[in-house]
Amino acid sequence: MLHASVGPWSALADAFKTPPVDRPVTDEKYATSYNNFYEFSLDKDEVKKKVEAWTVGPWKMEVSGLCANPKTWELPELTKMMGTEERIYRFRCVEAWSMVVPWTGFQLSKLIDLARPKPEAKYVRMTSFMDKAAMPNITRQPQYPWPYTEGLTLAEARHPLTLLATGLYGKPLPRQNGAPIRLVVPWKYGFKSIKSIVKLEFTSTEPKTLWNELAPAEYGFYANVNPGVDHPRWSQASERTLDGSFFPKKIPTLMFNGYEKEVASLYTGLDLKKFY
Ligand SMILES: Nc1nc2c(c(=O)[nH]1)N[C@H]1C(S)=C(S)[C@@H](COP(=O)(O)O)O[C@H]1N2
Ligand SMILES: [Mo]
């Protein structure tokens, strides 16, 4: 079992074969009570309460689009087939707060290998569960292009750091964190890490995504963590750690959220001073 008081952090990450993290694991109570899950509420402190009315039933995840082996998976069958492992990742929200959390899950690359994308597949598009009765904010925000969708290039989706998570702190994923299965892309802003996924499709063109469609000047498709490119309304040079204090510790934001060595080769040729 993972515990926030275990250290040193680099050795811990090493044990899980993940790149070293340079700071302590966030206390579980903060990671599970300060959540962005807009289908439920815009208020991060309220999401945990609102999800109480949502019963996560038997889960199916459709894998379809441009692939040789489309299939709708029952979640237990899928996780059994994939196997799971623990990963400790830094996580950085576009709103300039961050945490370090231990996920349980499997590499998205494994599922992609199984689906066998066709040569013309260049992207993956993912869609969140949507239930207006259980998710009160969907009706309240009719201007949002629901359901929540996100996307990655196929190369990003195949990167070994890209995870489909089914657990957090050694337990099944809490509803507020995107039960029962969500994406985790640690070098991108948190909004790319789509929760409660019901569909994954291979596409030939860049998929539309909720945030990019709603505010393209603020939320890019790539959305790689970059301290040198500010959000139009705030600086991205530093971040507040989720530590429960009224004046949270501020730390410098790292290029690609500290995963530059691992992912920079995905972006050769891109001008990293620009907004994408
Ligand atoms: N379906 C869905 N996925 C989502 C969101 C959301 O509102 N709906 N919010 C995103 C944002 S902005 C962040 S920062 C992370 C938050 O994940 P956490 O609550 O586990 O910290 O989830 C992302 N995935
Ligand atoms: Mo976020």
Side-chain angles (χ1 to χ4, degrees):
M1 235 322 271
L2 289 158
H3 193 271
S5 66
V6 180
W9 320 111
S10 53
L12 195 60
D14 225 37
F16 295 113
K17 300 191 186 64
T18 51
V21 279
D22 54 351
R23 57 198 174 97
V25 171
T26 300
D27 195 318
E28 179 178 350
K29 69 171 179 275
Y30 305 129
T32 57
S33 63
Y34 185 84
N35 304 100
N36 274 328
F37 204 158
Y38 272 40
E39 289 89 329
F40 291 95
S41 175
L42 302 183
D43 180 347
K44 282 179 262 294
D45 299 314
E46 252 203 19
V47 170
K48 190 183 179 178
K49 227 182 302 149
K50 297 281 185 193
V51 298
E52 291 296 325
W54 175 36
T55 308
V56 182
W59 200 264
K60 287 188 203 306
M61 197 173 107
E62 177 188 322
V63 178
S64 60
L66 300 168
C67 64
N69 189 23
K71 182 177 161 86
T72 298
W73 291 91
E74 305 279 350
L75 191 57
E77 185 195 3
L78 179 65
T79 44
K80 206 171 144 207
M81 178 95 177
M82 298 284 109
T84 55
E85 55 181 301
E86 305 249 16
R87 299 275 180 100
I88 295 180
Y89 284 159
R90 301 166 114 261
F91 187 95
R92 174 36 162 104
C93 174
V94 73
E95 298 160 339
W97 55 265
S98 71
M99 57 185 184
V100 173
V101 294
W103 302 101
T104 311
F106 55 87
Q107 278 184 208
L108 175 54
S109 67
K110 284 197 191 179
L111 181 57
I112 294 176
D113 288 346
L114 204 64
R116 288 187 280 126
K118 295 181 175 167
E120 55 280 25
K122 298 286 183 264
Y123 297 87
V124 294
R125 173 180 192 263
M126 283 156 278
T127 307
S128 290
F129 181 71
M130 177 163 98
D131 178 346
K132 285 185 184 163
M135 301 172 152
N137 203 44
I138 290 184
T139 318
R140 239 173 261 145
Q141 304 292 333
Q143 77 281 18
Y144 281 50
W146 306 109
Y148 197 103
T149 53
E150 259 307 334
L152 297 170
T153 66
L154 193 54
E156 292 174 330
R158 278 190 152 131
H159 192 280
L161 285 175
T162 305
L163 200 70
L164 279 178
T166 53
L168 189 59
Y169 295 89
K171 300 169 193 162
L173 212 51
R175 283 169 286 186
Q176 62 271 26
N177 296 94
I181 185 163
R182 60 95 56 88
L183 182 72
V184 185
V185 201
W187 72 93
K188 291 179 179 284
Y189 291 122
F191 67 87
K192 298 295 294 181
S193 291
I194 179 174
K195 294 177 170 179
S196 307
I197 301 170
V198 290
K199 201 200 289 189
L200 188 153
E201 297 158 276
F202 297 94
T203 66
S204 59
T205 53
E206 188 182 292
K208 281 193 175 163
T209 64
L210 179 133
W211 284 113
N212 188 237
E213 211 177 325
L214 201 60
E218 304 199 358
Y219 310 105
F221 177 79
Y222 283 88
N224 294 317
V225 175
N226 188 339
V229 176
D230 288 340
H231 185 278
R233 292 182 282 132
W234 58 82
S235 165
Q236 294 293 29
S238 66
E239 59 204 52
R240 297 174 284 120
T241 57
L242 278 197
D243 57 16
S245 73
F246 196 71
F247 295 107
K249 194 176 169 216
K250 264 200 161 188
I251 58 170
T253 289
L254 305 178
M255 188 67 207
F256 294 114
N257 197 27
Y259 299 102
E260 184 165 17
K261 190 158 66 76
E262 289 78 17
V263 304
S265 64
L266 288 171
Y267 307 105
T268 42
L270 279 196
D271 180 355
L272 296 179
K273 291 189 181 62
K274 282 198 184 140
F275 173 89
Y276 295 100

